Amino acid sequence: MSDLQQEEDLAAKRLDRTMARRMLALLVPVAPRVMLVILVEMLLVGSVISRPWFLREVIDHGLVPAGHGWRLDYAVLALSISGLAGVWLVRFVLGGVGQYLAGTVAVHVLNDLRARVFSHVQALSVRYFDRTKAGRIIARADRDVDSLEPAVIHGPPELLGMALRCLGAGWLLYLISARLFWVLFPLLPALGLAMAIFQRAGSRVWARVAEAKSRVTAHLCESISGVRVLQQHGFEARNQVLYQSLLTQLDRSSVNGTWAWGWFGPFSAVLFTIGMAALVLEGGAEVTTGRITPGQLAQALFYLNIFLGPLQELGDLYEKIATATAAAQRIFLLLDTPIEIGNAPGARELTGATGAVAFEDLSFSYNRDDPFVISHLNLAIPAGQVLAIVGPTGHGKSTLVQLLTRFYEPTGGRITLDGVDIRTITQESLRRQVAVVLQDNILFSGSIFENLRLARPEASDAQLTSAIRDLGADEILSRLPRGYQTLVGPSGLNLSHGQRQLVCLVRAYLADPRVLVLDEATSSVDVHTEQRLQKALRRLCVGRTAIIIAHRLATIRDADRIVVIRHGALIEDGTHQQLMAQAGTYASLYQAYARAAG
């Protein structure tokens, strides 16, 4: 099942309650700080439920009968005002401390989760990235992680605070008058039933909202990365229509979610009004009979607000939890994606390799039901040999590179390096021994020197400069505006294609691999640039095994050996002269290339 299909299936289901346990597990590393946040929340609740007591004191004891009127007892009034001021000061301080603690918890938890997601994404196989849009991955690692904060960080303390306020206010209301408490008690089942109904109606909606947001982000990232193609083909208007349709789907999902929970607030407000009216009527009767004082009635009205207020807020909290749970499903779907290719148990480091490569009875298909791209191929490459692989497009040449570097695993057969099955070698040491230069290489934002240090982080500027000179790349790269400190821009777009290829060749040279793979490394440059690249390539291939895949057949005439692959099978093998004499597939391809080249 594809990653997209799994997300769509999740969006169609009710939110999985197991997600709550996995989300709370994120708090385990910062449990002491979470306990401090909870303690602060408990103290805040204590300050909230203590305020009505001061109001009662003012009404019952601050107003003293005096003849035909009333007079203020300024001592009681001063005491009550001082007490309220102290409570507000405590609440102010605790509120700031609580926000600070919650903020530090959020930073640690969310950054740890981002690092975990990033580490897992880097370890996933190429197959995953072939079938998953970059925007969807970015949405999970960025926006979905942010969506967890309201529920994971603030949710538990808020939920605890609501529970404590309800229990504390209910208990104090019961102490004032059990009759008043039981008058209000029937509101609780009604409110609980309403919450269950609204929760059932809205749970699936929030998963659809998260999925719709993911589609919007994926399309946006894809459009930004391909903006040159869009503008070149005048596709902006149609792309805008596509993007607008995704926004419409997101709007519809969001509106449905708002509609599902939009009635809970008014419903709880109606219950609150009913409770207030019932309390005033019953409380008034209690006051007239002398069972409670006017101050206690006012105190009870405040406790009603404290008692039912959290239940009204619970709707907003559930919306946050539902949104976070939908995001968590998508994050954990990513984290649960198995790493298809990893180090086998007991995998060993390969050192001192000579570079002998062998493909033994190799077969491969990208998917189980697809036809074989490589079929029972046998090819041995002695150490130090320069081998060229040619053949029609789509017949498995580049697939061999993917298999050699273990971006994919063979369906059958095996690949060896110095006689050792590459599946028994750690991936790190294998990729130190095998370097690949592709047709479209990626440079990272930074200077030329910074990109070269990806291959050898400890290299000094002098060593990097020497490597550039060794390959003859200094004539071009030194002429850049800031020389080797020139910023290459995102993906190296500040450089020409030929300049990027030179940087990548120097980077491969610095890595000093035993096996060098050049996959169409010069196919997208002009003839003048290609000549310079060829000089660098010849120097780069000295003393190591080289596998060259090229459509410009003139560039591989001097290879030690040329093999032809067709339909995933090796059909010709020899030098340029031998294959031309055979007048077979290679000769036909070479003659067609020569005619096309004029």
Side-chain angles (χ1 to χ4, degrees):
M1 181 183 293
S2 71
D3 187 68
L4 174 58
Q5 185 61 48
Q6 287 181 341
E7 285 193 7
E8 290 177 342
D9 289 347
L10 283 175
K13 297 177 181 178
R14 293 184 62 193
L15 297 179
D16 189 352
R17 293 181 181 179
T18 60
M19 286 296 107
R21 291 195 293 270
R22 297 189 70 175
M23 289 162 62
L24 291 176
L26 300 173
L27 299 176
V28 172
V30 290
R33 295 191 185 188
V34 174
M35 296 305 297
L36 284 176
V37 173
I38 292 174
L39 176 61
V40 169
E41 187 67 29
M42 294 173 66
L43 294 175
L44 279 170
V45 170
S47 69
V48 169
I49 63 177
S50 66
R51 284 180 292 169
W53 184 85
F54 294 102
L55 176 64
R56 188 198 72 181
E57 288 299 302
V58 170
I59 295 175
D60 287 346
H61 303 291
L63 294 174
V64 181
H68 298 289
W70 299 83
R71 68 176 179 83
L72 284 173
D73 186 330
Y74 289 102
V76 173
L77 184 62
L79 180 64
S80 298
I81 292 175
S82 299
L84 283 172
V87 168
W88 278 106
L89 179 62
V90 169
R91 187 178 180 186
F92 172 77
V93 173
L94 290 177
V97 171
Q99 288 294 324
Y100 170 77
L101 291 173
T104 59
V105 169
V107 168
H108 282 82
V109 170
L110 299 185
N111 283 350
D112 286 349
L113 182 58
R114 284 193 180 93
R116 182 179 166 192
V117 170
F118 185 76
S119 176
H120 186 74
V121 166
Q122 288 196 115
L124 289 173
S125 67
V126 172
R127 188 189 304 273
Y128 178 81
F129 299 99
D130 287 343
R131 71 188 184 203
T132 307
K133 290 184 177 181
R136 303 179 76 83
I137 302 173
I138 293 170
R140 295 181 192 182
D142 185 27
R143 193 196 61 239
D144 285 344
V145 173
D146 285 335
S147 299
L148 297 184
E149 181 177 355
V152 176
I153 309 302
H154 303 291
E158 286 184 17
L159 192 60
L160 175 65
M162 292 176 186
L164 290 176
R165 278 187 284 167
C166 285
L167 293 174
W171 178 65
L172 292 172
L173 181 60
Y174 183 85
L175 292 180
I176 293 172
S177 172
R179 290 175 61 86
L180 294 181
F181 176 82
W182 291 114
V183 164
L184 296 176
F185 187 80
L187 297 179
L188 292 180
L191 196 58
L193 178 62
M195 285 182 57
I197 294 173
F198 286 114
Q199 183 269 343
R200 181 176 294 272
S203 60
R204 294 181 182 178
V205 174
W206 298 113
R208 294 194 183 100
V209 170
E211 170 59 21
K213 288 180 179 179
S214 174
R215 291 176 182 273
V216 169
T217 303
H219 188 82
L220 179 61
C221 292
E222 198 171 53
S223 298
I224 292 173
S225 62
V227 66
R228 287 174 173 79
V229 176
L230 292 174
Q231 293 178 354
Q232 179 182 349
H233 294 281
F235 196 63
E236 297 96 329
R238 290 181 61 189
N239 194 51
Q240 179 67 37
V241 171
L242 290 175
Y243 188 66
Q244 190 62 49
S245 68
L246 293 175
L247 290 177
T248 301
Q249 294 175 24
L250 174 59
D251 289 346
R252 188 180 299 116
S253 299
S254 301
V255 168
N256 289 339
T258 304
W259 174 263
W261 272 99
W263 295 101
F264 182 78
F267 180 80
S268 60
V270 169
L271 291 182
F272 180 81
T273 303
I274 293 173
M276 184 69 73
L279 190 63
V280 169
L281 292 175
E282 183 62 27
E286 292 280 280
V287 170
T288 57
T289 58
R291 293 192 182 95
I292 62 174
T293 65
Q296 288 177 314
L297 176 59
Q299 187 180 11
L301 291 173
F302 271 88
Y303 284 144
L304 172 65
N305 184 57
I306 296 173
F307 182 72
L308 291 181
L311 298 179
Q312 291 178 293
E313 298 170 11
L314 200 57
D316 294 333
L317 180 60
Y318 177 78
E319 181 178 334
K320 296 177 184 177
I321 293 175
T323 301
T325 305
Q329 283 182 320
R330 292 152 41 77
I331 292 170
F332 289 121
L333 173 63
L334 173 59
L335 291 175
D336 292 341
T337 301
I339 299 173
E340 296 180 12
I341 300 175
N343 290 331
R348 65 185 180 88
E349 292 280 325
L350 181 65
T351 57
T354 62
V357 177
F359 301 91
E360 300 176 359
D361 196 31
L362 191 68
S363 297
F364 175 75
S365 64
Y366 283 96
N367 295 295
R368 182 176 301 176
D369 299 328
D370 291 349
F372 283 112
V373 180
I374 304 292
S375 180
H376 300 288
L377 184 141
N378 288 281
L379 175 62
I381 310 170
Q385 185 177 78
V386 177
L387 173 80
I389 302 177
V390 300
T393 300
H395 283 243
K397 302 185 301 299
S398 295
T399 301
L400 286 177
V401 177
Q402 307 250 39
L403 295 171
L404 177 59
T405 51
R406 286 199 73 201
F407 289 147
Y408 288 90
E409 294 282 41
T411 306
R414 69 172 190 162
I415 304 173
T416 65
L417 180 58
D418 286 356
V420 180
D421 191 325
I422 62 173
R423 288 172 291 194
T424 66
I425 304 170
T426 62
Q427 293 188 81
E428 296 78 10
S429 65
L430 172 65
R431 289 167 186 167
R432 281 198 301 268
Q433 302 295 339
V434 181
V436 181
V437 180
L438 302 172
Q439 175 181 349
D440 294 310
N441 282 285
I442 295 295
L443 298 181
F444 295 91
S445 295
S447 69
I448 290 175
F449 272 169
E450 287 171 339
N451 274 273
L452 294 180
R453 285 197 173 94
L454 292 174
R456 193 183 297 176
E458 75 284 357
S460 65
D461 287 358
Q463 289 173 318
L464 297 179
T465 303
S466 177
I468 294 172
R469 290 199 186 105
D470 288 347
L471 290 191
D474 55 318
E475 185 178 348
I476 292 177
L477 298 182
S478 63
R479 294 178 180 176
L480 292 170
R482 296 180 58 191
Y484 306 136
Q485 298 296 341
T486 298
L487 299 179
V488 302
S491 301
L493 294 179
N494 290 349
L495 305 183
S496 70
H497 190 278
Q499 291 167 340
R500 289 199 300 272
Q501 290 298 80
L502 281 173
V503 174
C504 292
L505 290 174
V506 177
R507 189 165 63 188
Y509 178 69
L510 285 164
D512 193 24
R514 293 300 88 205
V515 180
L516 176 67
V517 181
L518 305 170
D519 190 354
E520 305 286 359
T522 64
S523 62
S524 297
V525 297
D526 58 76
V527 175
H528 178 70
T529 303
E530 183 182 21
Q531 291 173 350
R532 294 183 178 276
L533 291 176
Q534 285 297 330
K535 292 179 182 178
L537 289 173
R538 281 193 289 271
R539 296 177 185 178
L540 183 57
C541 292
V542 173
R544 52 178 55 90
T545 305
I547 301 174
I548 303 174
I549 299 172
H551 279 107
R552 290 185 178 180
L553 301 188
T555 63
I556 50 105
R557 288 183 54 175
D558 297 329
D560 298 330
R561 182 179 167 204
I562 300 171
V563 297
V564 181
I565 291 180
R566 190 179 185 89
H567 300 300
L570 195 154
I571 60 172
E572 294 181 8
D573 185 349
T575 64
H576 171 74
Q577 291 78 10
Q578 291 170 341
L579 296 181
M580 290 298 293
Q582 291 178 14
T585 301
Y586 176 79
S588 299
L589 289 172
Y590 190 85
Q591 289 164 2
Y593 167 77
R595 286 194 298 269

